Amino acid sequence: SYVLTQPPSVSVAPGQTARITCGGNNIGSKSVHWYQQKPGQAPVLVVYDDSDRPSGIPERFSGSNSGNTATLTISRVEAGDEADYYCQVWDSSSDLHVFGGGTKLTVL
Amino acid sequence: EVQLVESGGGLVQPGRSLRLSCAASGFTFDDYAMHWVRQAPGKGLEWVSGISWNSGSIGYADSVKGRFTISRDNAKNSLYLQMNSLRAEDTALYYCAKDSDGSANRYFDYWGQGTLVTVSS
């Protein structure tokens, strides 16, 4: 089955840029979606279809996808961005939705 | 405002059954696919099952296939998950999630707050 690999943790200082990667075999051929989950809360969609943002999500959140790596980029990181972030794809070969293992973003 | 409210969770013994429900409001329910996604304590997200707008397409994670059954009642704006032969590893917070379209193969644009299922003797 298709596997998505994320780093367990990423740390960044306030005001800097955080990049969270999601690796998968030829992931560039798939649509990648990203979710933010704060402690005790349900996940929230922050990026869909590689780089689109739902309404209400700040422009600081952006995404890219090419080759074997998709990336969620958070610019001008704020303390409120501290959360777990998950990537997700639909694997058409297996008809399954797949999540990455999640990345904990720590704002120093 | 989209609202998804799960219910039916609780403590259940291994091998027993449980039925989860999700009441949806704030959108045209029968236009969209729906899903169940779970999260074991301290762990990541795991897709469990999805169902298209008209129940014509249904999918399950390998971990639950043959034990869980997803269904929906569009007249009642409700989604269900019948869970049989429960195991300790099914212990998790179960989220109901709305798909972005009717086909069940896109992304999850709204989530409920979850209902906790604990499988233990």
Side-chain angles (χ1 to χ4, degrees):
Chain A
S1 59
Y2 195 75
V3 176
L4 294 175
T5 302
Q6 297 183 236
S9 63
V10 168
S11 299
V12 64
Q16 299 304 302
T17 297
R19 293 179 180 85
I20 298 172
T21 59
C22 176
N25 184 35
N26 198 26
I27 196 174
S29 67
K30 302 181 183 299
S31 292
V32 180
H33 320 296
W34 292 91
Y35 303 87
Q36 174 195 69
Q37 186 180 34
K38 296 181 179 179
Q41 298 185 19
V44 172
L45 178 72
V46 292
V47 167
Y48 66 95
D49 288 346
D50 299 338
S51 59
D52 290 333
R53 274 177 291 104
S55 60
I57 300 301
E59 291 182 7
R60 302 184 297 104
F61 288 81
S62 62
S64 63
N65 184 20
S66 179
N68 292 319
T69 305
T71 303
L72 173 69
T73 301
I74 309 171
S75 304
R76 302 180 299 282
V77 166
E78 303 173 356
D81 297 332
E82 194 163 274
D84 294 325
Y85 291 84
Y86 296 89
C87 57
Q88 174 251 321
V89 301
W90 164 256
D91 178 32
S92 57
S93 63
S94 60
D95 281 351
L96 298 175
H97 287 275
V98 181
F99 284 98
T103 297
K104 180 176 181 58
L105 175 67
T106 299
V107 181
L108 300 171
Chain B
E1 178 195 5
V2 172
Q3 286 199 328
L4 300 170
V5 179
E6 302 92 338
S7 61
L11 175 63
V12 61
Q13 293 179 329
R16 303 299 290 265
S17 299
L18 207 58
R19 189 193 196 207
L20 306 184
S21 299
C22 171
S25 61
F27 64 102
T28 305
F29 184 72
D30 53 12
D31 279 349
Y32 295 94
M34 297 293 295
H35 302 268
W36 291 99
V37 178
R38 69 184 181 184
Q39 187 169 35
K43 302 298 184 182
L45 301 174
E46 179 189 15
W47 176 77
V48 173
S49 182
I51 184 169
S52 63
W53 67 278
N54 64 351
S55 304
S57 178
I58 289 176
Y60 298 97
D62 290 344
S63 57
V64 307
K65 195 173 295 183
R67 300 187 299 122
F68 290 11
T69 302
I70 192 172
S71 62
R72 64 189 294 161
D73 185 336
N74 287 346
K76 295 183 177 179
N77 288 354
S78 293
L79 175 72
Y80 306 101
L81 186 68
Q82 177 67 42
M83 305 186 295
N84 298 333
S85 303
L86 282 161
R87 306 168 180 167
E89 54 264 37
D90 296 318
T91 294
L93 186 63
Y94 284 73
Y95 292 104
C96 168
K98 171 186 169 294
D99 200 293
S100 61
D101 78 3
S103 60
N105 59 9
R106 294 288 283 130
Y107 54 89
F108 316 118
D109 56 0
Y110 291 94
W111 298 64
Q113 289 303 307
T115 186
L116 182 63
V117 173
T118 303
V119 184
S120 175
S121 53

